[in-house]
């Protein structure tokens, strides 16, 4: 990580973290309330939003997830982007 990152990088990463936190909380709730249609609808909406945000992040800053959930550009570009835990 040689160059400073723009504020938009941090804003997008924070938004991803917030949406994923909501997904964790909804998952825990749905484990005990599996018939709650509204919560399931919210879960699906946040899951879609999370996927969209991660796709946007990867398009702008590089791979975010490992084990086949994120594609690599050519040449292999996993070492180009700052890792989220490095910022």
């Amino acid at each position: 990580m040689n160059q400073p990152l723009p504020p938009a990088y941090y804003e997008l990463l924070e938004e991803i973290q917030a949406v994923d936190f909501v997904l964790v909380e909804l998952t825990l709730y749905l484990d005990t309330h599996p018939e709650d249609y509204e919560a399931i609808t919210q879960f699906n909406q946040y899951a879609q939003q999370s996927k969209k945000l991660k796709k946007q992040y990867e398009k702008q800053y590089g791979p975010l997830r490992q084990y086949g959930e994120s594609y690599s550009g050519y040449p292999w570009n996993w070492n180009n982007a700052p890792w989220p835990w490095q910022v």
Side-chain angles (χ1 to χ4, degrees):
M1 199 170 74
N2 299 339
Q3 304 172 29
L5 295 164
Y9 172 87
Y10 297 100
E11 291 166 8
L12 183 54
L13 193 59
E14 187 174 327
E15 190 173 359
I16 290 169
Q17 291 170 335
V19 168
D20 284 354
F21 178 80
V22 171
L23 286 169
V24 168
E25 292 296 309
L26 283 168
T27 298
L28 294 172
Y29 174 80
L30 286 165
D31 283 346
T32 59
H33 300 80
E35 306 280 330
D36 189 331
Y37 181 80
E38 246 183 81
I40 294 169
T41 301
Q42 284 181 336
F43 178 88
N44 290 334
Q45 289 170 345
Y46 278 99
Q48 186 176 25
Q49 184 179 0
S50 176
K51 190 174 186 175
K52 179 182 169 190
L53 289 170
K54 289 172 183 172
K55 185 175 181 179
Q56 178 185 348
Y57 174 96
E58 291 180 337
K59 184 176 180 181
Q60 291 179 278
Y61 303 109
L64 181 61
R65 299 165 291 167
Q66 182 52 292
Y67 306 112
E69 291 190 44
S70 294
Y71 296 104
S72 175
Y74 181 84
W76 183 253
N77 64 349
W78 275 90
N79 58 348
N80 295 343
W83 292 95
W85 56 85
Q86 290 177 316
V87 295

